[in-house]
Amino acid sequence: MKALIIDDEKKARQVLHILVEENCPKITEIFEAEDLLSGVALIKKEQPSIVFLDIEMPEHSGLEILNFIEKEVHNFEIIFTTAYSEYAIQAFQLSAIDYLLKPVRPSQVKAAVDKAIAFLGNTQINKRLTELKASLEDSNFKKIGLPNADGIKFVDFTDIIMLEADGMYTNVSTVTHGSILVSKPLKFFVNILHEIKIFYRPHRSHLINLSYIKEYIKKDGGYIIMENDKTVSISNDKKEEFLTIVQNIG
């Protein structure tokens, strides 16, 4: 398996090269490029499976890569390397695009490569990068990428009814796409959606869209009925907070 590192900083390329060699035995050849255009030329010539791509480079940002590669050549996974802020990291996560935070750590590299290998052959990289660019350009996030058995489905926040923990997986109930089983724990979604105000966690096993609450039932300790007729428990320590929130909806 081939990999390519595109970064304008020579030291950064060397460090990442060593980390990949030492932690990713499935990668047998590693190429390097100092800018986006020479990197694109190497992609077309060597056809790597994984491309480590710095975002902030002179002349062309790493985000512009799809401007220089035809769709039929999009048969690789991208792992961005970045020193971006927490805001940008949320954009990566919502777009299901992997990233390495500088300074890069060995455990990060191994985890990112393992994830990229799992996605190979069903990358939808064009759609995912389009969503990433839209998220980075607009602080008002609108969509999330949900990895599933068929690939990655992009869903509007307003289309999500609720998210329910299922071990290390999460069941996402939507209006348009039905139920989607995602290979991420609920905690992952709680962390990246905490600033999206329509979502609320009434119980450790559920994250709900407040827009789709159909009914609140007082008996049996109190519980919620959602628009899809699923019931959601409310933790004792959340009841007062929840009632205050729903009384102010509208």
Side-chain angles (χ1 to χ4, degrees):
M1 185 176 290
K2 298 178 181 179
L4 169 63
I5 299 170
I6 306 175
D7 197 313
D8 61 301
E9 296 180 17
K10 184 176 180 180
K11 186 176 180 181
R13 293 198 306 271
Q14 291 173 337
V15 169
L16 186 52
H17 192 127
I18 292 169
L19 289 176
V20 173
E21 278 187 334
E22 293 180 347
N23 295 279
C24 308
K26 289 185 179 179
I27 295 178
T28 54
E29 289 184 82
I30 305 171
F31 302 90
E32 295 183 19
E34 63 182 3
D35 57 55
L36 185 61
L37 294 186
S38 58
V40 166
L42 275 172
I43 288 171
K44 293 178 179 179
K45 179 183 177 184
E46 301 294 343
Q47 298 185 340
S49 298
I50 297 173
V51 175
F52 295 92
L53 180 57
D54 186 27
I55 290 182
E56 295 176 299
M57 294 185 290
E59 294 187 36
H60 296 289
S61 160
L63 293 168
E64 297 177 51
I65 187 168
L66 296 186
N67 296 343
F68 302 99
I69 297 181
E70 300 79 12
K71 279 191 176 181
E72 57 271 18
V73 188
H74 299 173
N75 54 357
F76 54 88
E77 270 295 316
I78 291 176
I79 300 173
F80 280 109
T81 57
T82 179
Y84 264 14
S85 65
E86 183 180 342
Y87 157 73
I89 297 311
Q90 187 183 16
F92 287 116
Q93 293 171 329
L94 291 172
S95 305
I97 291 280
D98 217 348
Y99 61 93
L100 296 172
L101 272 180
K102 294 181 178 181
V104 179
R105 298 189 302 273
S107 59
Q108 278 187 304
V109 174
K110 186 180 187 307
V113 169
D114 288 345
K115 179 179 172 182
I117 291 172
F119 275 152
L120 281 172
N122 198 352
T123 63
Q124 299 173 298
I125 197 69
N126 186 54
K127 190 169 185 179
R128 287 157 59 199
L129 281 180
T130 300
E131 292 294 343
L132 174 62
K133 289 173 74 174
S135 293
L136 287 171
E137 291 166 2
D138 182 2
S139 60
N140 183 22
F141 298 121
K142 299 178 181 70
K143 287 186 178 183
I144 184 170
L146 302 174
N148 60 78
D150 298 320
I152 296 171
K153 192 172 290 293
F154 284 92
V155 179
D156 288 343
F157 294 144
T158 54
D159 197 34
I160 296 173
I161 301 170
M162 58 185 286
L163 302 93
E164 184 177 9
D166 185 1
M168 291 305 292
Y169 291 79
T170 300
N171 269 307
V172 183
S173 299
T174 70
V175 175
T176 307
H177 308 287
S179 182
I180 304 169
L181 184 63
V182 183
S183 55
K184 294 278 187 185
L186 183 65
K187 185 179 179 181
F188 172 83
F189 295 103
V190 171
N191 289 340
I192 65 171
L193 295 175
H194 72 279
E195 292 182 2
I196 311 300
K197 301 305 180 186
I198 59 173
F199 292 104
Y200 179 71
R201 192 182 192 184
H203 187 272
R204 60 189 177 89
S205 298
H206 294 92
L207 185 66
I208 65 171
N209 186 334
L210 294 168
S211 307
Y212 290 106
I213 294 175
K214 184 162 76 172
E215 195 172 355
Y216 169 67
I217 306 297
K218 290 183 179 180
K219 66 179 183 179
D220 298 327
Y223 59 91
I224 305 161
I225 300 177
M226 302 298 291
E227 289 287 351
N228 58 356
D229 291 324
K230 285 194 174 185
T231 61
V232 176
S233 300
I234 307 174
S235 300
N236 289 330
D237 61 340
K238 290 289 188 78
K239 283 179 184 175
E240 186 176 340
E241 178 185 71
F242 172 74
L243 290 173
T244 301
I245 290 171
V246 295
Q247 284 168 6
N248 288 285
I249 291 177

